[in-house]
Amino acid sequence: MPTPILMPALSPTMEEGTLSKWNVKEGDKVSSGDVIAEIETDKATMEFEAADEGTLAKILVPEGAADIPVNQPIAVLLSEGEDESALKDMPKPEAAKPQAAAAAAKSEAPKQDTGKAESAPKPEPEPKEMPVTSAAPEAAAGGTNRIFASPLARRLAKDDGIDLARVQGSGPHGRIVKADIEAAKSGKAPLAAAPAGGAAPAAQPSMTDSQVMKLFEEGSFEVVPHDNVRKIIAKRLVEAKQTIPHFYLTLDTEIDALLALRKDINAAAPRDKEGNPAWKVSVNDMIIKALALALQRVPDANVTWTEAGMLKHKRSDIGVAVAIPGGLITPVVRHAETKRLSEIANEMKDLATRARQRKLAPHEYQGGTTAISNLGMYGIKDFAAVINPPHATILAVGAGIPTPVVRKGEITKATIMSVTLSTDHRAVDGALGAEFLGAFQSLIEKPAAMVV
């Protein structure tokens, strides 16, 4: 029997991906461990290695195809002794929709208004059931609360902001199909109530895509399809604001002593034959170190909330938001409390470079105990950042601005950097957050404590 090659789950959070590139073609021999494709996940573009050996008989998903659900067949491998006649017994999967075609379909949506009653929908090809995880309580408890829906139904529900957990399926074994989504969208089939005792359903958009597009003159805009990174960022930001009770604390810190120490540290860096320094410490590197040490001084703030109990972390693993084309990613500096400033500087330089190339491995951007978002280089004075689950805190860092201050009754000048700590109030309340932020301020204003 031919072996289907499935869209892999290359990270724990991956639900679907884009097939960026095939490195093999039909008829090629494939060995276990060969890199056969490049897959764009929610965070990075990663190499996909073959698990079996054989001949690549057929490619089912073309390059550039987007929104391919995990575990959907993308190609077929024939083992030794099998020929293409064996492919006749393989079910044909639903065709993947390339990004360009998806965009064109969406841009045509407002024009489709024939005024005629819809005829009964034709049965859509549905080769396999696609499980969708529900947010109901039994799922959270580790049960098998799954919703079965066709890939097309999943895509339509996502586009129109419809919660699949509230749709009654009319397909085989109660599976949700295209007609069910269209009925829910039109109001012909009311959505079921959210499960009692479960989490509140996600807030739905007040307007559908078609309704929004109709507000603008035809031809005055173009539809630029979201890539996986942007879609996942949007989804997680909404979830974070809906499920995490954010609480904010803002503090001004004087950074003149820190700037002077940074200058001395960089001046002491040895240089190679070309004159390149062994390190170049930035203000952000020093903020990473200060935040890591502050977590060690206030360990009750170095936590993660779970329903079963509080995770109290022993290490300070600091995530740092890095802007990349189409969104951002948060690589993690692990054991930051134990690393020298020069080590942090060189590690961050490497992580940021590979983040912008989307070449980070999952273990380099997943986890962490807190995070930093620094917009000071853009001249932003202060802002509040959205917590990145599963973190309980995130520090938003503004620009260092020369500011008049009063000392001993006299006006003088100081460089003031404003920082805002966003906390998950379930895990870090106001008083604890203030203590944590005070420890950070002490390290910033007396930075020699970071190098002894």
Side-chain angles (χ1 to χ4, degrees):
M1 182 70 179
T3 302
I5 299 175
L6 307 180
M7 171 61 78
L10 297 176
S11 74
T13 59
M14 180 177 169
E15 298 177 358
E16 54 189 25
T18 295
L19 208 157
S20 298
K21 179 183 178 182
W22 279 108
N23 294 330
V24 291
K25 59 183 183 297
E26 292 182 357
D28 284 357
K29 296 289 186 180
V30 174
S31 298
S32 177
D34 287 352
V35 177
I36 60 173
E38 294 181 6
I39 307 293
E40 181 184 329
T41 72
D42 53 351
K43 291 291 187 182
T45 299
M46 303 180 67
E47 296 179 338
F48 174 36
E49 298 181 356
D52 301 296
E53 61 181 30
T55 301
L56 190 71
K58 190 170 185 59
I59 291 176
L60 304 176
V61 174
E63 289 186 356
D67 303 330
I68 312 302
V70 167
N71 292 330
Q72 176 173 313
I74 59 175
V76 179
L77 197 67
L78 292 178
S79 302
E80 185 177 353
E82 293 180 328
D83 56 37
E84 293 190 4
S85 62
L87 297 177
K88 297 178 181 179
D89 299 326
M90 294 286 294
K92 296 181 179 180
E94 181 178 346
K97 182 184 289 186
Q99 288 179 322
K106 287 185 179 180
S107 63
E108 291 294 324
K111 303 176 186 177
Q112 297 173 358
D113 186 7
T114 61
K116 299 179 181 179
E118 291 186 8
S119 58
K122 296 179 180 180
E124 52 180 314
E126 296 173 354
K128 60 184 290 186
E129 294 179 344
M130 301 304 298
V132 179
T133 303
S134 170
E138 52 263 46
T144 58
N145 184 30
R146 297 186 300 170
I147 303 167
F148 288 97
S150 72
L152 178 59
R154 291 182 66 200
R155 187 159 54 244
L156 293 174
K158 180 185 293 186
D159 289 344
D160 292 312
I162 295 173
D163 183 4
L164 284 172
R166 303 177 64 193
V167 177
Q168 179 65 44
S170 61
H173 306 292
R175 193 200 319 182
I176 299 169
V177 295
K178 175 183 176 183
D180 302 320
I181 301 300
E182 291 179 339
K185 179 180 176 181
S186 65
K188 296 177 183 177
L191 294 173
Q204 304 303 326
S206 58
M207 303 176 72
T208 65
D209 288 0
S210 296
Q211 290 171 329
V212 172
M213 291 179 187
K214 287 177 181 177
L215 296 176
F216 303 97
E217 183 181 347
E218 185 177 328
S220 68
F221 63 88
E222 63 174 323
V223 178
V224 181
H226 303 302
D227 63 14
N228 283 353
V229 172
R230 177 55 62 187
K231 288 188 288 187
I232 294 297
I233 288 173
K235 177 182 176 182
R236 289 180 181 166
L237 286 175
V238 170
E239 289 176 350
K241 291 295 286 186
Q242 287 179 338
T243 61
I244 298 175
H246 283 59
F247 185 79
Y248 307 98
L249 299 163
T250 300
L251 193 67
D252 288 338
T253 62
E254 293 188 19
I255 61 170
D256 293 287
L258 181 140
L259 294 175
L261 178 62
R262 171 178 174 262
K263 182 178 179 180
D264 290 342
I265 290 173
N266 287 338
R271 296 178 179 270
D272 61 19
K273 294 179 180 179
E274 285 74 34
N276 299 313
W279 62 76
K280 187 176 181 181
V281 174
S282 69
V283 170
N284 203 55
D285 299 327
M286 302 182 83
I287 290 170
I288 294 170
K289 179 70 172 182
L291 194 64
L293 292 175
L295 285 175
Q296 297 299 309
R297 292 186 178 186
V298 187
D300 286 345
N302 196 17
V303 294
T304 293
W305 171 271
T306 72
E307 296 300 327
M310 200 78 76
L311 307 184
K312 194 167 183 179
H313 304 289
K314 299 175 182 179
R315 306 181 335 203
S316 297
D317 295 339
I318 310 297
V320 184
V322 174
I324 61 175
L328 58 84
I329 191 170
T330 309
V332 179
V333 178
R334 307 203 182 265
H335 298 277
E337 78 280 8
T338 67
K339 292 179 178 176
R340 298 189 301 272
L341 288 168
S342 57
E343 292 180 278
I344 292 174
N346 289 334
E347 183 174 341
M348 269 310 305
K349 181 180 178 181
D350 171 64
L351 289 171
T353 298
R354 290 190 293 112
R356 295 185 183 100
Q357 298 169 346
R358 298 192 178 184
K359 295 298 183 182
L360 293 179
H363 72 272
E364 293 177 305
Y365 59 78
Q366 292 173 353
T369 61
T370 188
I372 294 168
S373 180
N374 190 341
L375 293 179
M377 65 286 292
Y378 298 103
I380 301 300
K381 182 181 181 297
D382 60 69
F383 68 104
V386 179
I387 294 169
N388 182 29
H391 301 164
T393 55
I394 185 170
L395 187 72
V397 181
I401 299 175
T403 306
V405 296
V406 178
R407 289 200 184 99
K408 298 180 179 179
E410 295 184 357
I411 297 177
T412 185
K413 184 180 74 172
T415 306
I416 302 298
M417 181 180 73
S418 181
V419 296
T420 297
L421 182 72
S422 303
T423 76
D424 179 345
H425 211 297
R426 299 169 301 177
V428 179
D429 59 24
L432 178 58
E435 183 184 357
F436 174 40
L437 206 51
F440 171 79
Q441 181 186 35
S442 175
L443 288 157
I444 289 292
E445 295 187 348
K446 298 176 181 177
M450 291 192 276
V451 295
V452 295

